[in-house]
Amino acid sequence: MRVLCAFPEAMPSSNSRPPSCLAPVALFLALLLHLSLSSQAGDRRPLPVDRAPGLKEKTLILLDVSTKNPVRTVNENFLSLQLDPSIIHDGWLDFLSSKRLVTLARGLSPAFLRFGGKRTDFLQFQNLRNPAKSRGGLEPNNYRTMHGRAVNGSQLGKDYIQLKSLLQPIRIYSRASLYGPNIGRPRKNVIALLDGFMKVAGSTVDAVTWQHCYIDGRVVKVMDFLKTRLLDTLSDQIRKIQKVVNTYTPGKKIWLEGVVTTSAGGTNNLSDSYAAGFLWLNTLGMLANQGIDVVIRHSFFDHGYNHLVDQNFNPLPDYWLSLLYKRLIGPKVLAVHVAGLQRKPRPGRVIRDKLRIYAHCTNHHNHNYVRGSITLFIINLHRSRKKIKLAGTLRDKLVHQYLLQPYGQEGLKSKSVQLNGQPLVMVDDGTLPELKPRPLRAGRTLVIPPVTMGFYVVKNVNALACRYR
């Protein structure tokens, strides 16, 4: 059984700090002006940008954004949350009334709240009239493994149609939404199940759902979270799901109803660290860019290692990353165009993208920014800093920087983060800290430190795509 609900939003304000200055790199800007801008739109991955041999940090990247029309528009509750039934099994349910936990949850509103996860597989729902028909809830592709019986997609689709017919006469459920089939990784047998399901019940569900786990618990090195090949596995899965869904119900909404970095509760000291944020932020950017309507993070709170809040109610790095995303990112996705010097690929070797740039309209609920502003979020997986010059519609605009870096001696393994050099901690149980931007002078080159991620609000662009809801 999966339960979804929505909770309302709260939007604190933020102050600004005095700007700092950096001289423009005019020589390299002139060198690059002749380069044409390449389009990054639709379901294409962020365009690879790398340094040429021998140029090191001297490479300058030109960046512009298409501001006339969005390429995608996702759900207002795009980033949503999940609670695992383990909170019942392990006696944690009473803590949901904690003032601190409520404050942390309110910070990530608006969102759907899904009640489900791994422990749901072992919950028993008793049928008082026919106990033989009582069973737990698992991903349908796992029925054979757990119960020794397989369920084909057609039969599952018929079950959904019957469930819908049972709910409609009940007043409280007559307008309830139905989501499914909640499949796992789209391997060959899973795609066959989804195909059968969509053929029978594609029009019955309000959104098609699946789950994604990046890596198993054998990951032991922090640098595994920075592998571009790993970051790109999600894109291929999205395309496989979309191909089946669009065959039977073109335009049907798709939800990633459960995403974790690692299986089996996560990897101690890694999947709850700053390093895991590269996977999470790239997931948000990639899903929105490819048109996935909602992503549900597993899990908001628990005592494993894949969670946003730990068992002592302390927000982990992915929580602060999610909070910044909620405050700054709106549902409209914009196409990014970049030009820069790139190294030539070696024979037989694919150059994968280590500098990832995504763009959205700024969240229109954030009253610190007028409508028409644009927010970039940038992931730099390089071991060197990267310089980006805003061009075209973004040229000579004021920018607010929100640079998120690890805090403390542990580096990428740190469970604490700093925003523009200031550690992020709760003021008290009822108050989140101010997320203060660092104002950058108009026309200033963006300098992205090595192995970091950040958000950059380009103010007063007056982007047509962002002026209206």
Side-chain angles (χ1 to χ4, degrees), residues 117-307:
K118 207 169 185 64
R119 291 288 183 90
T120 309
D121 298 350
F122 306 101
L123 290 179
Q124 295 296 317
F125 302 97
Q126 187 175 7
N127 186 325
L128 296 178
R129 293 186 179 182
N130 188 350
K133 293 185 177 180
S134 298
R135 68 181 183 184
L138 4 138
E139 294 95 12
N141 48 285
N142 285 334
Y143 284 170
R144 182 183 291 276
T145 303
M146 302 302 299
H147 290 304
R149 295 180 60 186
V151 175
N152 63 55
S154 299
Q155 182 57 53
L156 186 63
K158 293 174 183 177
D159 290 345
Y160 269 73
I161 293 173
Q162 183 179 9
L163 174 59
K164 187 96 171 181
S165 66
L166 292 172
L167 292 174
Q168 284 180 338
I170 304 173
R171 184 177 180 183
I172 192 172
Y173 297 124
S174 61
R175 296 184 179 180
S177 298
L178 192 60
Y179 305 94
N182 196 38
I183 56 172
R185 182 176 297 179
R187 298 184 177 95
K188 185 176 180 180
N189 64 315
V190 178
I191 288 296
L193 187 150
L194 178 61
D195 187 271
F197 177 86
M198 293 301 300
K199 191 173 184 178
V200 173
S203 59
T204 301
V205 292
D206 294 272
V208 177
T209 61
W210 102 101
Q211 299 193 29
H212 178 67
C213 178
Y214 276 101
I215 41 185
D216 61 32
R218 293 175 294 178
V219 176
V220 294
K221 296 182 297 183
V222 68
M223 297 308 291
D224 288 334
F225 287 91
L226 311 183
K227 291 180 178 178
T228 55
R229 188 178 298 275
L230 177 65
L231 270 63
D232 290 340
T233 58
L234 178 60
S235 183
D236 295 332
Q237 293 197 19
I238 294 171
R239 283 192 287 268
K240 290 179 181 178
I241 298 291
Q242 287 175 330
K243 182 178 179 181
V244 177
V245 172
N246 290 329
T247 298
Y248 297 102
T249 54
K252 174 71 68 175
K253 301 295 185 183
I254 302 175
W255 289 18
L256 181 53
E257 198 179 65
V259 58
V260 294
T261 53
T262 61
S263 60
T267 304
N268 189 12
N269 295 324
L270 290 179
S271 53
D272 54 357
S273 67
Y274 175 85
F278 295 109
L279 272 181
W280 178 226
L281 187 57
N282 186 70
T283 296
L284 295 172
M286 187 174 286
L287 289 171
N289 200 51
Q290 293 187 229
I292 301 303
D293 195 48
V294 170
V295 54
I296 299 180
R297 170 62 187 250
H298 182 286
S299 174
F300 171 61
F301 161 75
D302 206 339
H303 56 285
Y305 305 107
N306 272 323
H307 314 292

Side-chain angles (χ1 to χ4, degrees), residues 375-423:
T375 301
L376 309 168
F377 54 104
I378 302 174
I379 302 169
N380 183 14
L381 299 175
H382 289 277
R383 295 178 183 271
S384 60
R385 64 179 184 171
K386 294 298 171 184
K387 295 181 178 182
I388 299 175
K389 188 72 175 178
L390 301 183
T393 55
L394 309 184
R395 184 178 180 181
D396 295 331
K397 301 296 183 184
L398 292 171
V399 176
H400 276 183
Q401 172 186 279
Y402 297 81
L403 181 64
L404 201 64
Q405 295 174 287
Y407 179 73
Q409 304 273 330
E410 295 180 288
L412 294 178
K413 293 184 180 180
S414 178
K415 294 176 178 59
S416 300
V417 294
Q418 54 184 323
L419 178 65
N420 295 326
Q422 297 298 316

Side-chain angles (χ1 to χ4, degrees), residues 337-375:
H337 308 277
V338 296
L341 294 177
Q342 303 178 23
R343 106 187 134 184
K344 296 180 180 179
R346 300 176 188 173
R349 182 178 179 183
V350 176
I351 293 183
R352 292 181 177 269
D353 182 17
K354 288 191 174 184
L355 183 66
R356 299 180 176 229
I357 305 171
Y358 299 97
H360 284 237
C361 294
T362 302
N363 189 342
H364 59 262
H365 294 298
N366 192 325
H367 301 301
N368 295 306
Y369 302 108
V370 299
R371 291 194 180 186
S373 298
I374 288 173
T375 301

